[in-house]
Amino acid sequence: MNNCNWEQAIRRLGKKATPQRKAILAALAEQDRPATVDEIFIKVREQQKTSLSTIYRNLDLLLSQGLINKQGFPGEKARYSLKKDDHEHTLVCMDCQKIVTITGCPLEAYAAEIASRENFVVLDHRMEMYGYCHKCMQAKGRV
């Protein structure tokens, strides 16, 4: 996704495509793994003057609008990444923080079953599985 697409995506949501929002998305696009708020702040500050509170507010907005993901790595600060698909499930490596998107939805049938059984309307769901990628397992001598 390039800057033009980010601007269009933000505006489709009825929000202004501010320089800070576009800079945050650009910073996330440059990362090879999910970034912490501090990493995003440093990257955005290279381009323009901003405050840490502005970064937090805009990350919250972009997250609530479905343009980015937030991962909570155990024992670490939250990390953010661009959302690649409207509906995605992921595998997250706890060493290198690599994120692998699972193709297809392994929860679709289960969500329908639970919704029927509990008389509940499921609007959305997500799944993150934490573990170690093959490369990190090899580095630890576990493969």
Side-chain angles (χ1 to χ4, degrees):
M1 191 183 308
N2 61 34
N3 283 343
C4 180
N5 290 345
W6 292 322
E7 191 165 334
Q8 290 171 0
I10 295 167
R11 289 197 175 151
R12 269 195 305 270
L13 300 170
K15 306 296 179 188
K16 289 184 180 179
T18 65
Q20 292 87 358
R21 291 173 188 160
K22 291 188 287 186
I24 288 169
L25 293 171
L28 290 173
E30 292 175 12
Q31 300 293 324
D32 59 352
R33 64 184 181 98
T36 65
V37 172
D38 295 333
E39 292 168 338
I40 296 165
F41 176 66
I42 290 167
K43 209 62 162 146
V44 171
R45 281 293 299 244
E46 291 173 359
Q47 299 173 18
Q48 61 190 265
K49 187 173 181 173
T50 191
S51 69
L52 194 54
S53 63
T54 298
I55 299 296
Y56 273 108
R57 276 194 310 275
N58 281 293
L59 285 171
D60 285 344
L61 174 84
L62 295 170
L63 183 63
S64 72
Q65 298 299 310
L67 292 177
I68 63 174
N69 291 317
K70 180 179 180 181
Q71 286 83 30
F73 295 98
E76 291 188 19
K77 293 179 180 181
R79 293 182 171 270
Y80 298 85
S81 61
L82 290 178
K83 194 167 208 171
K84 295 179 177 94
D85 196 352
D86 286 337
H87 183 89
E88 62 185 27
H89 301 291
T90 56
L91 302 172
V92 182
C93 180
M94 293 171 56
D95 268 356
C96 68
Q97 279 101 32
K98 175 182 177 180
I99 295 177
V100 177
T101 301
I102 300 169
T103 55
C105 179
L107 297 178
E108 206 166 289
Y110 184 63
E113 176 189 326
I114 295 294
S116 176
R117 185 177 71 211
E118 300 297 330
N119 195 25
F120 192 84
V121 176
V122 175
L123 299 177
D124 195 12
H125 63 268
R126 68 181 213 161
M127 178 178 67
E128 291 178 339
M129 289 193 229
Y130 294 89
Y132 300 101
C133 69
H134 185 73
K135 184 177 176 182
C136 290
M137 288 293 289
Q138 280 182 320
K140 291 180 179 291
R142 295 181 182 160
V143 179

